[in-house]
Amino acid sequence: MPIKIPDTLPARETLLKEGVAVMRDSDAIRQDIRPLQIALLNLMPNKIRTETQIARLIGASPLQVELTLVRIGGHQPKNTSAEHLISFYQTWEEIRERKFDGFIVTGAPVEQLAFEDVTYWDELAQIFDWTRTNVHSPFYICWGAMAAAWHFHDLPKYQLGEKAFGVFRQRNLAPASPYLSGFSDDFLIPVSRWTEVHREDVLARPALDMLVDCEKTGPSLLQDAARRSLYMFNHVEYDSFSLKEEFERDRSQDIPIAVPHNYFPGDDPARPPLNRWRSHAHLLFGNWINQVYQSTPYALDEIGRSPTRAA
């Protein structure tokens, strides 16, 4: 089944050109099934770019998914027009009475700040707590994952001497996990961050399972099985040119930045990068959506109130 998004959302044309199945409102109404309700709390500055990346991965699922775009109410992004936000986004206050099968929280360019120094931390902490009762399965990405892991598990982050930047080989530590079904023993994922979490801190927290690790950049994917929560510390959702654009942006601003590791052929920024993580990005999101579908209550209002079906 295709993904259901607003007919005029800019991501729609991009997804259609890529062959992603997108459903119109009128078609969704005719289908006698309950679509999965998945919300995206988009903390990235370029909201259109990020919503397209996430919609691309969700839209590849064979299940019907309705995507709700959410933003922090007290924060005004600088790189997205007010018109776009008004047209397509709801604040958390506007959707807080709803229940969702899945809830995705993106990264944000605030990772070098202490969590409590982020201007919207208080609202974000409320949202994290709200997911305990209103969301069946949360999926946290990059800084969003570090923030949630700190909030729920006191898992600290550590400043890096230089940015972890490039495409790094990952180790599959849990091939029997349903979230890693079909994954290779090792695979590549884009990394772009100034902070990290440490293995010993993860291992000291029994509620967290380390599913994927990287020798060079540390833990990559954790799960809190009891809460059906995933913590992805890297940017598996990135498209082919995301790292290239970050590299060129930092250089234009005289920010010291190395050529992204293992990204450009021959480490030559003049050559087009090769996307070698696309298949595993689709696998991870597809596996997550499948697990959500198998375990979420049929009645949305039962989320957070009753035992769920076994996955």
Side-chain angles (χ1 to χ4, degrees), residues 3-277:
I3 184 174
K4 179 176 175 287
I5 57 177
D7 291 346
T8 54
L9 188 71
R12 183 183 183 88
E13 289 303 314
T14 301
L15 298 176
L16 287 172
K17 290 176 183 178
E18 295 177 359
V20 176
V22 179
M23 177 171 281
R24 296 177 300 178
D25 288 342
S26 57
D27 294 328
I29 292 171
R30 290 191 290 104
Q31 294 196 349
D32 188 21
I33 60 175
R34 179 174 86 73
L36 289 178
Q37 298 294 320
I38 293 181
L40 169 65
L41 178 61
N42 192 350
L43 303 176
M44 292 291 276
N46 188 333
K47 301 222 176 309
I48 294 176
R49 179 70 172 272
T50 301
E51 69 204 26
T52 301
Q53 292 170 348
I54 298 297
R56 175 185 294 122
L57 296 171
I58 292 176
S61 167
L63 303 170
Q64 187 185 136
V65 176
E66 183 171 343
L67 182 64
T68 298
L69 300 176
V70 184
R71 65 180 178 89
I72 294 288
H75 177 71
Q76 180 62 42
K78 298 179 181 179
N79 299 304
T80 303
S81 70
E83 180 182 1
H84 183 83
L85 296 176
I86 292 170
S87 298
F88 301 113
Y89 279 78
Q90 299 177 65
T91 65
W92 171 65
E93 288 288 345
E94 292 170 329
I95 59 99
R96 66 183 301 173
E97 299 303 321
R98 292 179 58 185
K99 300 287 184 79
F100 292 91
D101 301 295
F103 193 83
I104 301 168
V105 180
T106 72
V110 293
E111 59 182 326
Q112 297 191 72
L113 296 175
F115 293 119
E116 293 77 8
D117 290 341
V118 174
T119 57
Y120 50 81
W121 178 256
D122 288 345
E123 183 175 352
L124 184 60
Q126 291 182 62
I127 294 172
F128 286 153
D129 289 335
W130 167 86
T131 64
R132 287 282 172 92
T133 56
N134 287 61
V135 175
H136 179 67
S137 179
F139 191 155
Y140 307 107
I141 298 174
C142 202
W143 181 82
M146 292 190 178
W150 170 251
H151 181 76
F152 290 125
H153 303 284
D154 293 321
L155 185 69
K157 65 180 174 73
Y158 299 89
Q159 183 75 29
L160 293 169
E162 60 182 25
K163 189 176 186 179
F165 190 46
V167 181
F168 291 86
R169 190 162 297 280
Q170 313 289 318
R171 295 183 298 165
N172 181 349
L173 303 180
S177 168
Y179 296 112
L180 299 180
S181 178
F183 270 66
S184 306
D185 292 338
D186 66 358
F187 50 93
L188 299 168
I189 287 182
V191 179
S192 178
R193 48 181 165 80
W194 283 96
T195 55
E196 66 178 359
V197 298
H198 289 173
R199 296 177 185 90
E200 57 269 26
D201 292 333
V202 174
L203 296 174
R205 287 157 175 80
L208 295 175
D209 301 311
M210 188 157 47
L211 304 183
V212 178
D213 187 31
C214 175
E215 181 180 352
K216 293 184 177 180
T217 62
S220 177
L221 179 65
L222 311 180
Q223 76 162 342
D224 178 348
R227 297 290 181 178
R228 296 173 298 277
S229 302
L230 287 183
Y231 301 84
M232 164 53 71
F233 297 122
N234 300 319
H235 283 291
V236 67
E237 83 284 2
Y238 268 10
D239 58 37
S240 302
F241 297 98
S242 298
L243 292 177
K244 180 178 187 294
E245 292 178 4
E246 289 185 15
F247 174 66
E248 293 173 346
R249 178 201 64 201
D250 288 354
R251 291 190 68 180
S252 70
Q253 298 174 3
D254 295 323
I255 298 173
I257 187 72
V259 173
H261 171 78
N262 196 29
Y263 177 59
F264 295 111
D267 289 331
D268 181 359
R271 300 174 65 182
L274 296 176
N275 188 316
R276 291 174 291 174
W277 61 90

